[in-house]
Amino acid sequence: MSINIVVRKPTAKEYNELRLSVQWPTYDENTVRCALQNTLYAVVAEDEPGLAIGMGRVLGDDAIYLHIQDVIVRPELQGKGIGKAIMNILMDYVHTRGSKNTNVGLMCSKGRESFYAGFGFIARPSEKFGAGMIRLLS
Ligand SMILES: CC(C)(COP(=O)(O)OP(=O)(O)OC[C@H]1O[C@@H](n2cnc3c(N)ncnc32)[C@H](O)[C@@H]1OP(=O)(O)O)[C@@H](O)C(=O)NCCC(=O)NCCS
């Protein structure tokens, strides 16, 4: 099986389908379109041209704060190195845009810490950093 990591944004449909495949909440189409439009950089993993089986994107101010988001590989294709390939390209982008002390963040799903540790991310709280906080609007 040959997988291509294509530098492009997913369509709104692909975005919601990929989220649904890993049981994450989906959003209405206009919300997704807005989110994708405001995305700095995105990649889609394709196993056939135009057929999305994974994605990842980078959000932020493109200089000081960059955020990795929505790294997803369809469950039936996980564990084959696709997530790693997606992250490698996102990290290349981050290194291109960032400089010393650029803050690259991500919100890690429960149990996925070791996946990101491989790319140099550390878990919070740590000696230096607080836990980080989140609020989901109702
Ligand atoms: C997390 C995810 C993107 C990983 O993609 P993947 O294609 O299965 O990962 P890979 O096969 O490229 O594995 C890369 C490395 O991470 C490790 N890894 C993969 N999934 C992992 C998991 N769930 N927990 C911990 N480590 C994991 C692998 O063992 C591998 O390590 P190695 O390089 O030492 O062999 C995928 O499991 C996924 O889509 N999960 C659901 C959505 C999600 O939680 N995304 C992350 C948001 S924080």
Side-chain angles (χ1 to χ4, degrees):
M1 181 181 50
S2 90
I3 304 288
N4 280 325
I5 312 291
V6 183
V7 179
R8 72 166 173 93
K9 294 175 185 177
T11 64
K13 187 166 177 275
E14 288 171 332
Y15 179 85
N16 269 335
E17 279 174 2
L18 286 169
R19 287 186 63 103
L20 204 56
S21 79
V22 293
Q23 276 132 38
W24 286 3
T26 56
Y27 298 91
D28 71 70
E29 202 169 314
N30 282 340
T31 302
V32 176
R33 275 189 212 287
C34 177
L36 293 173
Q37 200 177 338
N38 291 313
T39 294
L40 292 177
Y41 185 78
V43 298
V44 172
E46 300 181 344
D47 64 351
E48 282 175 38
L51 204 66
I53 52 97
M55 67 174 171
R57 55 188 190 121
V58 180
L59 318 179
D61 61 17
D62 219 12
I64 298 174
Y65 289 98
L66 295 167
H67 203 83
I68 308 274
Q69 201 69 49
D70 289 326
V71 178
I72 294 175
V73 175
R74 288 191 70 89
E76 64 274 21
L77 292 165
Q78 289 175 10
K80 298 176 189 297
I82 302 167
K84 204 171 178 174
I86 290 172
M87 272 302 289
N88 277 329
I89 296 185
L90 297 184
M91 291 309 292
D92 283 349
Y93 176 80
V94 157
H95 282 292
T96 305
R97 303 304 304 167
S99 52
K100 190 170 164 54
N101 285 329
T102 288
N103 184 318
V104 186
L106 57 85
M107 301 296 284
C108 183
S109 300
K110 237 181 165 41
R112 301 291 191 266
E113 290 81 357
S114 59
F115 173 70
Y116 290 112
F119 296 93
F121 289 86
I122 56 157
R124 300 178 70 159
S126 67
E127 207 166 294
K128 188 170 166 193
F129 298 109
M133 295 172 78
I134 183 174
R135 175 175 167 184
L136 294 177
L137 300 184
S138 50

